[in-house]
Every structure is written in C-alpha cells, then in structure tokens.
Amino acid sequence: IAAILTVTMAQPKQGMLSPEGLSRCGCFRCVDIGIPGDFVDEAEGWRAEALFAQDVRALVTRRPRECHKGCFGHVLIAAGSRRYTGAPFLAADGAARSGAGLVTVAVPAGCAPVCRVRASHILCTIPSDGDGWFGPASVAALTDLAPRFSALVYGPGIGPESAGLAALEAILSANTPLVLDADGLRRLAERP
C-alpha cells in the first residue's frame, strides 16, 4: 500500500519511520486516543522517536516587534573549499531558516571568487593555502573570529585535503555552541 495519509495512535511505530515505511505512509499524523502518558512511556520496546509539527509549534513563538535581526544570534559557518563551494551556503540557508538573525559564511580565500556568486549571506574570507583549502594560516583567523559569534558551524565541504584538525581546535577553543558536520566530524574522528 502506498497511502496518502496514515493515522497512528499514541506514538509513531518504528516501521513507519524506516526508509521504506516513510515512502509508503505518505503524510502521517499521530493522534491522542486517551492512552495515559505513563503507559506510553513504559512501552519503550515498540515506541519510536519522532518530532511532529505540533511538537515544534509549542517551541516557536512570535518574535517581539521591537526586535531586529541582531536580537536572534549571529552564526559563523566555517566551511567550504575550492572543490566544495556549495556546502557552506546550504548550511547558511539552514541556519537562517531555523531562526538565526545573522549568518556569516567564512570560506578559504582561494575559493572566494566562486563563492561570491552564491553568497546570499554575509561572506568573509579567511587566509588559506593557494589551492583554496583551510590551511595553517586559517587557524589564526578562526581563533580570532570564532569568539565573536553566538554559534558556530564547522565542516561542511572543507574537504579531505584541508588542515582541518588544527582549524577544528581553533573553533573548539572559542567555547561557543558548535555544530560539527561532514568533514568536521571526520576531523574529530582523527583525534577524538
């Protein structure tokens, strides 16, 4: 069956959240039929975790009228390389859509000409090696930049050639909320 709408009771079932289940459920709703929450919580064996629109609505409130974009955080995305110029901007769009007031994309200087074409957010370049990768010169720039932001993203598209571990250490030294993604996770795995 390839359903248009699937309705489940109390909690989503594990099979519904598997790749095959998701493709067959269509749009699905989780409805309350009066099962006490204690019983639902006890049934850990069959319960699957999912986040629904109604769960998120309770967390999202209207922004105060007197606020401006500076009131909602400034995210620095240190990402990209000559080979992977789109990754920083996918991350930047995600940060902006999830509520960040300002988003700055820091890319290695060697890939900046290509990145300027795509820039819909603030774009800054940091020193890089000649091939457009995060290199030793990037570390000082990231050490200086990172503490100025309310959140950081590091890793999308930095590529395997970069001196990413030293750059990751610079980012971590800022002691700022951080999202590690893609090659940033690979760098972390090199020295957990």
Side-chain angles (χ1 to χ4, degrees):
I1 295 173
I4 296 170
L5 172 67
T6 300
V7 178
T8 185
M9 280 70 65
Q11 291 290 336
K13 311 314 181 268
Q14 289 178 348
M16 297 173 71
L17 302 176
S18 70
E20 186 177 341
L22 283 171
S23 69
R24 297 195 178 268
C25 284
C27 183
F28 70 90
R29 301 281 182 263
C30 187
V31 297
D32 179 8
I33 59 168
I35 299 173
D38 293 343
F39 292 121
V40 174
D41 291 340
E42 287 177 15
E44 290 293 330
W46 63 269
R47 191 173 123 199
E49 294 293 326
L51 186 66
F52 289 91
Q54 65 261 26
D55 301 322
V56 175
R57 275 191 204 102
L59 302 173
V60 178
T61 59
R62 288 191 175 269
R63 291 184 170 187
R65 291 180 188 214
E66 67 276 6
C67 286
H68 54 81
K69 62 186 175 187
C71 296
F72 302 105
H74 193 168
V75 177
L76 173 68
I77 298 179
S81 61
R82 184 177 292 270
R83 188 178 302 161
Y84 306 108
T85 58
F89 300 101
L90 290 172
D93 288 344
R97 288 181 183 200
S98 64
L102 292 164
V103 179
T104 295
V105 178
V107 297
C111 67
V114 176
C115 289
R116 280 193 184 93
V117 173
R118 298 179 180 197
S120 57
H121 304 281
I122 300 168
L123 178 69
C124 72
T125 59
I126 56 176
S128 65
D129 67 12
D131 294 329
W133 308 101
F134 282 100
S138 307
V139 175
L142 288 172
T143 302
D144 182 50
L145 269 177
R148 301 179 195 178
F149 292 84
S150 43
L152 308 170
V153 176
Y154 178 74
I158 62 172
E161 296 87 348
S162 70
L165 190 55
L168 175 59
E169 289 174 349
I171 291 280
L172 288 170
S173 70
N175 201 22
T176 301
L178 170 67
V179 173
L180 283 178
D181 187 33
D183 290 318
L185 291 171
R186 289 187 185 93
R187 294 298 165 270
L188 183 64
E190 289 173 14
R191 200 173 81 207

